[in-house]
Amino acid sequence: VWSYLFLNDDAYISFRYAAHWAEYGEVTYNLGERVEGYTNFLWVALLAAGHRLGADIPLLSYVLSLILSLGTLIGSALFATTVEVDEQSKKKRALVVLALLAVSPSFACWTSGGLEVQLFTACFTLGTVLSVQAWMRPNGSRMQLAWRGGLAGMVLALAAMTRPEGVMFFGLIGLYRLGWIFVKKSRLTLLEYG
């Protein structure tokens, strides 16, 4: 990450919107002009909140991105261990995933940059992990299952607030789940009526 440390010029667009929101209460690029020139609402909101509390926006973008990239690493390792296998296989799978991400130039490069990449990646990874865990571990009360699914939905909604394609990923995960339920019920019906 240190070797790729940079700020993308596009990040300054979000920085300006965030600064104007924090300093003047307007989510605008030029004060008084109501034009939405960003697609990363949640990232702009986080930067604006941090700036309002006194943080330097470019530095805050670095710090948040680094923390979120660690969250992505942890979420990816959790995802790798979600499938029910023996403990030794889970550990090996988690280490392989961590190693692949750790040596990925793209992952390292976009850990900085000042953009919302790591916020989106962390939210999407965590939302996917929570979704799969809710499906793979159906034991527990209805309330527990609803809580797991609801939490997954909330995190995926945060991904959708971060980047527009988050809505598409949220929808694809939902369609996959509906298809999985349909197939499972179809199998049960076939077994009952043979």
Side-chain angles (χ1 to χ4, degrees):
V1 170
W2 185 255
S3 65
Y4 288 106
L5 198 62
F6 78 108
L7 278 175
N8 190 303
D9 56 345
D10 286 347
Y12 286 94
I13 296 168
S14 299
F15 294 173
R16 185 170 171 129
Y17 275 97
H20 283 174
W21 192 0
E23 295 169 9
Y24 305 105
E26 291 185 13
V27 189
T28 59
Y29 189 80
N30 295 317
L31 295 175
E33 294 181 14
R34 301 274 180 208
V35 177
E36 187 176 335
Y38 61 91
T39 57
N40 51 0
F41 172 78
L42 188 58
W43 186 243
V44 170
L46 286 172
L47 294 176
H51 187 59
R52 184 82 175 155
L53 295 171
D56 176 64
I57 292 177
L59 180 61
L60 179 62
S61 74
Y62 281 138
V63 171
L64 286 176
S65 292
L66 184 61
I67 292 168
L68 290 163
S69 68
L70 293 173
T72 300
L73 284 167
I74 293 166
S76 298
L78 285 173
F79 186 73
T81 62
T82 298
V83 177
E84 296 297 326
V85 292
D86 62 277
E87 284 301 313
Q88 192 63 24
S89 296
K90 283 183 179 185
K91 289 176 185 176
K92 286 179 184 175
R93 188 177 297 152
L95 287 173
V96 167
V97 167
L98 288 173
L100 288 173
L101 271 176
V103 299
S104 168
S106 296
F107 186 77
C109 178
W110 291 108
T111 293
S112 67
L115 296 170
E116 71 285 353
V117 174
Q118 288 301 331
L119 176 60
F120 178 76
T121 306
C123 288
F124 179 71
T125 302
L126 182 59
T128 303
V129 168
L130 291 170
S131 297
V132 171
Q133 285 182 345
W135 306 336
M136 300 288 290
R137 298 186 176 111
N139 52 349
S141 68
R142 284 186 166 208
M143 186 61 122
Q144 289 172 327
L145 293 175
W147 172 251
R148 288 178 194 163
L151 187 58
M154 285 189 284
V155 174
L156 288 168
L158 291 175
M161 291 172 62
T162 304
R163 291 182 61 94
E165 62 268 23
V167 175
M168 177 187 68
F169 288 126
F170 196 164
L172 288 173
I173 289 172
L175 286 173
Y176 176 81
R177 177 66 174 154
L178 288 174
W180 189 80
I181 290 170
F182 177 76
V183 167
K184 187 175 179 181
K185 287 190 179 211
S186 297
R187 286 182 185 161
L188 289 175
T189 304
L190 285 173
L191 290 173
E192 287 178 16
Y193 299 108

